[in-house]
Coordinates of all heavy atoms in Angstrom, one line a residue:
T34 N 103.3 160.3 71.8 CA 103.4 161.5 70.8 C 102.0 161.5 70.0 O 101.2 160.5 70.1 CB 104.6 161.3 69.8 OG1 104.4 160.0 69.1 CG2 105.9 161.4 70.5
A35 N 101.8 162.6 69.4 CA 100.5 162.7 68.6 C 100.4 161.6 67.6 O 99.3 161.1 67.3 CB 100.4 164.1 68.0
S36 N 101.5 161.2 67.0 CA 101.5 160.2 66.0 C 100.9 158.8 66.5 O 100.4 158.1 65.8 CB 102.8 160.0 65.3 OG 103.8 159.5 66.2
S37 N 101.1 158.6 67.9 CA 100.6 157.3 68.4 C 99.1 157.4 68.4 O 98.4 156.3 68.3 CB 101.1 157.3 69.9 OG 102.6 157.1 69.9
L38 N 98.5 158.5 68.5 CA 97.0 158.7 68.5 C 96.3 158.2 67.2 O 95.2 157.9 67.2 CB 96.7 160.0 69.0 CG 97.1 160.5 70.3 CD1 96.7 162.0 70.6 CD2 96.4 159.6 71.4
V39 N 97.1 158.3 66.2 CA 96.6 157.9 64.8 C 97.1 156.7 64.2 O 96.8 156.2 63.1 CB 96.8 159.1 63.8 CG1 95.8 160.2 64.2 CG2 98.2 159.5 63.7
G40 N 97.9 156.0 65.1 CA 98.4 154.6 64.6 C 99.7 154.6 63.9 O 100.1 153.5 63.4
Y41 N 100.5 155.6 63.9 CA 101.7 155.7 63.2 C 102.7 154.7 63.9 O 103.8 154.4 63.3 CB 102.3 157.0 62.9 CG 101.6 157.8 61.9 CD1 100.8 159.0 62.2 CD2 101.6 157.4 60.6 CE1 100.2 159.6 61.3 CE2 100.9 158.2 59.6 CZ 100.3 159.3 60.0 OH 99.5 160.0 59.0
E42 N 102.5 154.6 65.2 CA 103.5 153.8 66.0 C 102.9 152.3 66.2 O 103.4 151.5 66.9 CB 103.7 154.4 67.3 CG 104.1 155.8 67.3 CD 105.2 156.2 66.4 OE1 106.3 155.4 66.3 OE2 105.2 157.2 65.8
G43 N 101.8 152.0 65.4 CA 101.4 150.7 65.5 C 100.0 150.7 66.3 O 99.6 151.7 66.9
E44 N 99.2 149.6 66.1 CA 97.8 149.5 66.6 C 97.8 149.5 68.2 O 97.0 150.1 68.8 CB 97.1 148.4 66.0 CG 95.6 148.4 66.2 CD 94.9 149.7 65.5 OE1 95.5 150.2 64.4 OE2 93.9 150.1 66.0
K45 N 98.8 148.7 68.6 CA 98.9 148.6 70.2 C 99.2 150.0 70.8 O 98.6 150.3 71.8 CB 100.0 147.6 70.6 CG 99.9 147.3 72.0 CD 100.9 146.2 72.3 CE 100.9 145.9 73.9 NZ 101.8 144.9 74.3
A46 N 100.2 150.6 70.2 CA 100.4 152.0 70.7 C 99.3 153.0 70.6 O 99.0 153.7 71.6 CB 101.6 152.7 69.9
K47 N 98.6 152.9 69.5 CA 97.4 153.7 69.3 C 96.3 153.5 70.3 O 95.8 154.3 71.1 CB 96.8 153.5 68.0 CG 95.5 154.3 67.8 CD 94.8 154.0 66.4 CE 93.5 154.8 66.2 NZ 93.0 154.5 64.9
N48 N 96.1 152.2 70.5 CA 95.0 151.8 71.6 C 95.4 152.2 73.0 O 94.5 152.7 73.8 CB 94.7 150.2 71.5 CG 94.1 149.8 70.2 OD1 93.4 150.7 69.5 ND2 94.1 148.6 69.8
T49 N 96.6 152.0 73.3 CA 97.1 152.5 74.7 C 97.0 153.9 74.8 O 96.5 154.4 75.8 CB 98.6 152.0 74.8 OG1 98.6 150.5 74.7 CG2 99.1 152.3 76.1
A50 N 97.5 154.7 73.7 CA 97.5 156.1 73.9 C 96.0 156.7 74.1 O 95.8 157.5 74.9 CB 98.1 156.7 72.6
L51 N 95.1 156.1 73.3 CA 93.7 156.6 73.4 C 93.1 156.2 74.8 O 92.4 156.9 75.3 CB 92.9 155.9 72.2 CG 93.3 156.5 70.8 CD1 92.5 155.7 69.8 CD2 93.0 158.0 70.7
E52 N 93.5 155.0 75.2 CA 93.0 154.6 76.5 C 93.5 155.6 77.6 O 92.8 156.0 78.6 CB 93.3 153.2 76.9 CG 92.6 152.5 78.1 CD 91.1 152.6 77.9 OE1 90.6 152.4 76.8 OE2 90.4 152.6 78.9
L53 N 94.8 155.9 77.5 CA 95.4 156.9 78.5 C 94.7 158.3 78.4 O 94.5 158.8 79.4 CB 96.9 156.9 78.3 CG 97.7 155.6 78.6 CD1 99.0 155.9 78.2 CD2 97.6 155.4 80.1
I54 N 94.4 158.7 77.3 CA 93.7 159.9 77.0 C 92.4 159.9 77.6 O 92.0 160.8 78.4 CB 93.6 160.3 75.5 CG1 95.0 160.7 74.9 CG2 92.5 161.3 75.2 CD1 95.2 162.1 74.8
K55 N 91.6 158.8 77.4 CA 90.2 158.8 77.9 C 90.3 158.7 79.4 O 89.2 159.3 80.1 CB 89.6 157.5 77.4 CG 89.2 157.5 75.9 CD 88.8 156.0 75.5 CE 88.7 155.8 74.1 NZ 88.3 154.5 73.7
K56 N 91.2 158.2 80.0 CA 91.2 158.0 81.5 C 91.8 159.2 82.1 O 91.9 159.4 83.5 CB 92.0 156.8 81.9 CG 91.3 155.4 81.6 CD 92.1 154.2 82.1 CE 91.3 153.0 81.8 NZ 92.0 151.8 82.4
G57 N 92.3 160.2 81.4 CA 92.8 161.4 82.0 C 94.3 161.4 82.5 O 94.6 162.1 83.2
F58 N 95.0 160.3 81.9 CA 96.3 160.1 82.5 C 97.5 160.8 81.6 O 98.6 160.7 81.8 CB 96.7 158.6 82.5 CG 95.9 157.8 83.4 CD1 95.7 156.4 83.2 CD2 95.4 158.3 84.6 CE1 95.0 155.7 84.0 CE2 94.7 157.5 85.5 CZ 94.6 156.2 85.2
V59 N 97.0 161.6 80.6 CA 97.9 162.3 79.7 C 97.8 163.9 80.0 O 96.7 164.4 80.0 CB 97.6 162.1 78.2 CG1 98.5 162.8 77.2 CG2 97.7 160.6 77.9
D60 N 99.0 164.4 80.2 CA 99.1 165.9 80.5 C 99.5 166.7 79.3 O 99.3 167.9 79.2 CB 99.9 166.2 81.7 CG 99.3 165.5 83.0 OD1 98.1 165.4 83.1 OD2 100.1 165.0 83.8
I61 N 100.1 166.1 78.4 CA 100.8 166.8 77.2 C 100.6 165.9 76.1 O 100.8 164.7 76.0 CB 102.3 167.1 77.5 CG1 102.5 168.1 78.6 CG2 103.0 167.6 76.2 CD1 103.9 168.3 79.0
I62 N 100.2 166.5 74.9 CA 100.3 165.9 73.6 C 101.4 166.6 72.8 O 101.4 167.8 72.7 CB 99.0 166.0 72.8 CG1 97.8 165.4 73.5 CG2 99.2 165.4 71.4 CD1 96.5 165.5 72.9
S63 N 102.3 165.8 72.3 CA 103.5 166.4 71.7 C 103.9 165.7 70.4 O 103.3 164.6 70.1 CB 104.7 166.5 72.6 OG 105.1 165.2 73.0
S64 N 105.0 166.1 69.8 CA 105.6 165.4 68.7 C 107.1 165.6 68.8 O 107.5 166.5 69.4 CB 105.1 166.0 67.4 OG 105.7 165.3 66.3
D65 N 107.8 164.6 68.3 CA 109.3 164.9 68.1 C 109.5 166.0 67.1 O 108.8 166.1 66.3 CB 110.0 163.6 68.0 CG 109.6 162.8 66.8 OD1 109.0 163.4 65.9 OD2 109.9 161.6 66.7
A66 N 110.8 166.3 67.0 CA 111.0 167.5 66.2 C 112.1 167.1 65.1 O 113.0 167.8 64.8 CB 111.6 168.7 67.0
H67 N 112.1 165.9 64.7 CA 113.1 165.4 63.7 C 112.9 166.1 62.4 O 113.9 166.2 61.6 CB 113.1 163.9 63.5 CG 113.5 163.1 64.8 ND1 114.8 163.2 65.3 CD2 112.8 162.5 65.7 CE1 114.9 162.5 66.4 NE2 113.6 162.0 66.6
S68 N 111.7 166.4 61.9 CA 111.5 167.0 60.6 C 110.2 167.8 60.8 O 109.2 167.4 61.2 CB 111.3 165.9 59.6 OG 110.9 166.4 58.4
S69 N 110.4 169.0 60.2 CA 109.1 169.9 60.1 C 108.3 169.6 58.8 O 107.2 170.1 58.6 CB 109.5 171.3 60.3 OG 110.3 171.7 59.1
N70 N 108.8 168.7 57.9 CA 108.1 168.4 56.7 C 106.9 167.8 56.8 O 105.9 168.1 56.2 CB 109.1 167.8 55.7 CG 110.3 168.7 55.3 OD1 110.2 169.8 55.3 ND2 111.4 168.0 54.9
F71 N 106.8 166.8 57.7 CA 105.6 165.9 57.8 C 105.2 165.7 59.2 O 104.1 165.2 59.5 CB 105.9 164.4 57.2 CG 107.0 163.7 57.8 CD1 106.7 162.8 58.9 CD2 108.3 163.8 57.3 CE1 107.7 162.1 59.4 CE2 109.2 163.0 57.9 CZ 109.0 162.2 59.0
R72 N 106.0 166.3 60.2 CA 105.6 166.0 61.6 C 104.3 166.9 61.8 O 103.5 166.6 62.6 CB 106.7 166.5 62.5 CG 107.9 165.7 62.5 CD 107.7 164.2 62.9 NE 108.9 163.6 62.9 CZ 109.1 162.2 63.0 NH1 108.1 161.5 63.1 NH2 110.3 161.8 62.8
L73 N 104.1 168.1 61.3 CA 103.0 168.9 61.5 C 101.7 168.2 61.1 O 100.7 168.3 61.9 CB 103.1 170.3 60.9 CG 102.0 171.2 61.1 CD1 101.8 171.6 62.5 CD2 102.2 172.5 60.3
D74 N 101.7 167.5 60.0 CA 100.5 166.8 59.6 C 100.2 165.6 60.6 O 99.0 165.6 60.9 CB 100.7 166.2 58.3 CG 99.5 165.6 57.7 OD1 98.4 166.2 57.7 OD2 99.6 164.4 57.2
E75 N 101.2 165.0 61.1 CA 100.9 164.0 61.9 C 100.4 164.6 63.3 O 99.5 164.0 63.9 CB 102.3 163.1 62.2 CG 102.6 162.2 61.2 CD 104.0 161.5 61.6 OE1 104.5 161.7 62.6 OE2 104.5 160.9 60.7
F76 N 101.0 165.6 63.6 CA 100.6 166.3 64.9 C 99.2 166.7 64.9 O 98.3 166.4 65.9 CB 101.5 167.4 65.2 CG 101.2 168.1 66.5 CD1 101.6 167.5 67.7 CD2 100.7 169.3 66.5 CE1 101.4 168.1 69.0 CE2 100.4 169.9 67.8 CZ 100.8 169.4 69.0
C77 N 98.8 167.3 63.9 CA 97.4 167.9 63.6 C 96.4 166.6 63.5 O 95.3 166.7 64.1 CB 97.3 168.6 62.3 SG 98.0 170.2 62.4
Q78 N 96.8 165.5 62.9 CA 95.9 164.3 62.9 C 95.7 163.7 64.3 O 94.6 163.3 64.7 CB 96.5 163.3 62.0 CG 96.4 163.6 60.4 CD 97.1 162.6 59.6 OE1 97.2 161.4 59.9 NE2 97.6 163.0 58.5
G79 N 96.8 163.8 65.0 CA 96.7 163.3 66.4 C 95.8 164.2 67.3 O 95.0 163.7 68.0
L80 N 95.8 165.5 67.1 CA 94.8 166.3 67.8 C 93.4 166.1 67.4 O 92.5 166.1 68.2 CB 95.2 167.8 67.5 CG 96.7 168.3 68.1 CD1 96.8 169.7 67.8 CD2 96.9 167.8 69.6
I81 N 93.2 165.8 66.1 CA 91.9 165.4 65.6 C 91.4 164.2 66.3 O 90.2 164.1 66.6 CB 91.8 165.4 64.0 CG1 92.1 166.8 63.6 CG2 90.5 164.9 63.6 CD1 92.4 166.9 62.1
E82 N 92.2 163.3 66.4 CA 91.9 162.0 67.0 C 91.6 162.2 68.4 O 90.6 161.7 69.0 CB 93.0 160.9 66.8 CG 92.6 159.5 67.2 CD 91.5 159.0 66.4 OE1 91.4 159.3 65.2 OE2 90.7 158.1 66.9
A83 N 92.3 163.1 69.1 CA 92.1 163.3 70.6 C 90.9 164.0 70.9 O 90.2 163.8 71.8 CB 93.3 164.1 71.2
E84 N 90.4 164.9 69.9 CA 89.1 165.6 70.0 C 88.0 164.7 70.1 O 86.9 165.1 70.6 CB 89.1 166.7 68.9 CG 88.0 167.7 69.2 CD 88.0 168.7 68.1 OE1 88.8 168.7 67.1 OE2 87.0 169.7 68.2
K85 N 88.0 163.5 69.6 CA 87.0 162.5 69.7 C 86.6 162.1 71.1 O 85.5 161.7 71.4 CB 87.3 161.3 68.8 CG 87.4 161.6 67.4 CD 87.8 160.4 66.6 CE 87.9 160.6 65.1 NZ 88.4 159.5 64.3
F86 N 87.7 162.3 72.0 CA 87.6 161.9 73.3 C 87.6 162.8 74.5 O 87.3 162.6 75.6 CB 88.6 160.8 73.6 CG 88.5 159.6 72.6 CD1 89.4 159.6 71.6 CD2 87.6 158.6 72.7 CE1 89.4 158.6 70.6 CE2 87.5 157.7 71.7 CZ 88.4 157.6 70.7
I87 N 88.2 164.0 74.1 CA 88.4 165.1 75.1 C 88.1 166.4 74.6 O 88.0 166.5 73.3 CB 89.8 165.2 75.6 CG1 90.9 165.3 74.6 CG2 90.2 163.8 76.5 CD1 92.3 165.4 75.1
T88 N 87.9 167.5 75.2 CA 87.4 168.8 74.8 C 88.5 169.5 74.2 O 89.7 169.3 74.4 CB 86.8 169.6 76.0 OG1 87.9 169.9 76.8 CG2 85.7 168.9 76.6
V89 N 88.2 170.4 73.3 CA 89.1 171.3 72.6 C 89.9 172.1 73.7 O 91.1 172.3 73.6 CB 88.5 172.3 71.7 CG1 89.4 173.3 71.1 CG2 87.9 171.5 70.6
E90 N 89.2 172.4 74.8 CA 89.8 173.3 75.9 C 90.9 172.4 76.5 O 92.0 172.9 76.8 CB 88.8 173.7 76.9 CG 87.8 174.7 76.4 CD 86.7 174.2 75.6 OE1 86.4 172.8 75.4 OE2 86.0 174.9 74.9
R91 N 90.6 171.2 76.7 CA 91.7 170.3 77.3 C 92.8 170.1 76.4 O 94.0 170.0 76.8 CB 91.1 168.9 77.8 CG 92.0 168.1 78.5 CD 91.4 167.2 79.5 NE 92.4 166.3 80.0 CZ 92.2 164.9 80.0 NH1 91.1 164.4 79.6 NH2 93.1 164.1 80.4
I92 N 92.6 169.9 75.0 CA 93.6 169.8 74.1 C 94.6 171.1 74.2 O 95.8 170.9 74.1 CB 93.1 169.5 72.7 CG1 92.5 168.2 72.7 CG2 94.2 169.6 71.6 CD1 91.7 167.9 71.4
Y93 N 93.9 172.2 74.2 CA 94.6 173.4 74.3 C 95.6 173.5 75.5 O 96.8 173.8 75.4 CB 93.7 174.7 74.3 CG 94.4 176.0 74.5 CD1 95.2 176.5 73.4 CD2 94.4 176.6 75.7 CE1 95.8 177.7 73.6 CE2 95.1 177.9 75.9 CZ 95.8 178.5 74.8 OH 96.4 179.6 75.1
E94 N 95.0 173.0 76.6 CA 95.9 173.0 77.9 C 97.1 172.0 77.7 O 98.2 172.3 78.0 CB 95.1 172.5 79.0 CG 94.1 173.2 79.5 CD 93.2 172.6 80.6 OE1 93.3 171.5 80.9 OE2 92.4 173.4 81.2
M95 N 96.8 170.9 76.9 CA 97.9 169.9 76.8 C 99.0 170.2 75.7 O 100.0 169.7 75.8 CB 97.2 168.5 76.3 CG 96.3 167.9 77.4 SD 95.2 166.8 76.7 CE 96.3 165.3 76.9
V96 N 98.6 171.2 74.7 CA 99.5 171.5 73.7 C 100.1 172.8 74.0 O 101.3 173.1 73.6 CB 98.7 171.6 72.4 CG1 99.5 172.1 71.2 CG2 98.2 170.1 72.0
Q97 N 99.4 173.7 74.6 CA 99.9 175.1 74.8 C 100.3 175.4 76.3 O 101.4 175.8 76.6 CB 98.8 176.0 74.3 CG 98.7 176.1 72.9 CD 99.9 176.7 72.2 OE1 100.6 177.6 72.6 NE2 100.3 176.1 70.9
L98 N 99.1 175.3 77.2 CA 99.4 175.9 78.5 C 100.3 175.1 79.3 O 101.3 175.7 80.0 CB 98.0 175.9 79.2 CG 96.9 176.9 78.6 CD1 95.6 176.8 79.4 CD2 97.5 178.3 78.5
I99 N 100.2 173.8 79.5 CA 100.9 173.0 80.4 C 102.4 173.0 79.9 O 103.4 173.2 80.7 CB 100.4 171.5 80.5 CG1 99.1 171.6 81.3 CG2 101.5 170.6 81.2 CD1 98.4 170.2 81.3
P100 N 102.8 172.8 78.5 CA 104.2 172.9 78.1 C 104.7 174.3 78.4 O 105.9 174.3 78.8 CB 104.1 172.6 76.6 CG 102.8 171.9 76.5 CD 101.8 172.3 77.5
K101 N 104.0 175.3 78.3 CA 104.5 176.7 78.6 C 104.9 176.7 80.1 O 106.0 177.3 80.4 CB 103.5 177.7 78.2 CG 104.0 179.2 78.4 CD 103.0 180.2 77.9 CE 103.5 181.6 78.2 NZ 102.5 182.6 77.8
L102 N 104.0 176.3 81.0 CA 104.3 176.3 82.3 C 105.6 175.5 82.7 O 106.4 176.0 83.5 CB 103.1 175.8 83.1 CG 101.8 176.6 83.1 CD1 100.7 175.9 83.8 CD2 102.1 178.0 83.9
I103 N 105.7 174.3 82.1 CA 106.9 173.6 82.2 C 108.2 174.2 81.9 O 109.1 174.3 82.6 CB 106.7 172.2 81.7 CG1 105.6 171.3 82.4 CG2 108.1 171.4 81.7 CD1 105.2 170.1 81.8
I104 N 108.1 174.9 80.7 CA 109.4 175.6 80.2 C 109.8 176.8 81.1 O 110.8 177.0 81.3 CB 109.0 176.0 78.7 CG1 109.0 174.8 77.7 CG2 110.0 177.2 78.3 CD1 108.5 175.2 76.3
N105 N 108.6 177.4 81.6 CA 108.9 178.5 82.5 C 109.1 178.0 84.0 O 109.1 178.9 85.0 CB 107.7 179.6 82.5 CG 107.8 180.1 81.1 OD1 108.7 180.5 80.5 ND2 106.5 180.4 80.6
N106 N 109.2 176.7 84.1 CA 109.4 176.2 85.6 C 108.4 176.7 86.5 O 108.6 177.0 87.6 CB 110.8 176.6 86.1 CG 111.2 175.7 87.3 OD1 110.8 174.5 87.3 ND2 112.1 176.2 88.1
E107 N 107.1 176.6 86.0 CA 106.0 177.1 86.9 C 105.1 175.8 87.2 O 105.2 174.8 86.6 CB 105.1 178.1 86.1 CG 105.7 179.5 85.8 CD 104.9 180.4 85.0 OE1 103.7 180.3 85.3 OE2 105.4 181.1 84.2
N108 N 104.3 175.9 88.2 CA 103.6 174.8 88.8 C 102.3 174.5 87.8 O 101.6 175.4 87.4 CB 103.0 175.3 90.2 CG 102.5 173.9 90.8 OD1 102.0 173.0 90.2 ND2 102.4 174.0 92.1
I109 N 102.2 173.3 87.4 CA 101.1 172.9 86.6 C 99.9 172.3 87.3 O 98.8 172.1 86.7 CB 101.5 171.8 85.5 CG1 101.9 170.4 86.2 CG2 102.7 172.3 84.6 CD1 102.1 169.3 85.2
N110 N 100.0 172.3 88.7 CA 98.9 171.7 89.4 C 97.6 172.7 89.2 O 96.5 172.1 89.3 CB 99.3 171.6 90.8 CG 100.2 170.5 91.0 OD1 100.2 169.5 90.3 ND2 101.1 170.6 92.1
K111 N 97.7 173.9 89.0 CA 96.5 174.8 89.0 C 95.7 174.3 87.7 O 94.4 174.4 87.7 CB 96.9 176.3 88.9 CG 97.7 176.7 87.7 CD 98.1 178.1 87.8 CE 99.0 178.4 86.7 NZ 99.5 179.8 86.8
I112 N 96.3 173.9 86.6 CA 95.6 173.4 85.6 C 95.0 171.9 85.9 O 93.9 171.6 85.5 CB 96.4 173.4 84.3 CG1 96.6 174.8 83.9 CG2 95.7 172.5 83.1 CD1 97.5 175.0 82.7
L113 N 95.9 171.1 86.4 CA 95.6 169.6 86.6 C 94.4 169.6 87.6 O 93.6 168.6 87.4 CB 96.8 168.9 87.1 CG 98.1 168.8 86.1 CD1 99.1 168.1 86.6 CD2 97.5 168.3 84.7
E114 N 94.4 170.3 88.5 CA 93.4 170.2 89.7 C 91.9 170.6 89.2 O 90.9 170.1 89.7 CB 93.7 171.2 90.8 CG 94.9 170.8 91.6 CD 95.4 171.8 92.6 OE1 94.8 172.9 92.6 OE2 96.3 171.4 93.4
K115 N 91.9 171.3 88.0 CA 90.6 171.6 87.3 C 89.9 170.4 86.8 O 88.7 170.4 86.6 CB 90.7 172.7 86.4 CG 91.1 174.1 86.9 CD 91.0 175.1 85.7 CE 91.6 174.6 84.5 NZ 91.7 175.7 83.3
R116 N 90.7 169.4 86.4 CA 90.1 168.2 85.7 C 89.3 167.3 86.6 O 89.4 167.1 87.8 CB 91.3 167.4 85.2 CG 92.0 168.1 84.1 CD 93.0 167.3 83.4 NE 93.7 168.1 82.5 CZ 94.9 167.7 82.0 NH1 95.4 166.5 82.3 NH2 95.5 168.4 81.0

């Protein structure tokens, strides 16, 4: 989740999440939906952290395009192959 990228799940989870992002092993950045009161802030902080290692365009794919394709039961390979 995005909160892992900023260390809310612990330092080990943060380091692992960032390493996976850097290596291109992450296709979606998300957050759980238990509360809208503070999850948005954590989510935004996670995106800011991700931007240190990947492009804004790739973040957009991971937050908007790929989830939308999955929800619509469409093939995500056209986006993944560009990487």
Side-chain angles (χ1 to χ4, degrees):
T34 62
S36 62
S37 296
L38 297 172
V39 290
Y41 288 117
E42 310 305 326
E44 198 63 29
K45 185 174 181 179
K47 176 182 178 178
N48 292 337
T49 300
L51 292 175
E52 192 62 31
L53 292 171
I54 288 264
K55 291 176 193 176
K56 290 184 176 183
F58 294 153
V59 176
D60 296 325
I61 295 174
I62 298 175
S63 64
S64 178
D65 57 22
H67 295 290
S68 171
S69 61
N70 294 336
F71 61 91
R72 298 289 183 200
L73 182 59
D74 185 51
E75 288 180 6
F76 186 71
C77 291
Q78 289 178 29
L80 298 182
I81 291 167
E82 188 66 27
E84 192 177 359
K85 295 175 183 175
F86 305 101
I87 58 176
T88 65
V89 172
E90 292 80 12
R91 185 148 171 233
I92 292 171
Y93 176 75
E94 290 174 355
M95 298 165 82
V96 173
Q97 292 287 328
L98 296 181
I99 293 174
K101 182 178 179 180
L102 290 172
I103 291 170
I104 289 169
N105 292 325
N106 198 30
E107 296 178 35
N108 192 334
I109 65 171
N110 287 332
K111 60 185 174 185
I112 292 177
L113 300 180
E114 290 170 354
K115 292 188 315 184
R116 294 184 184 167

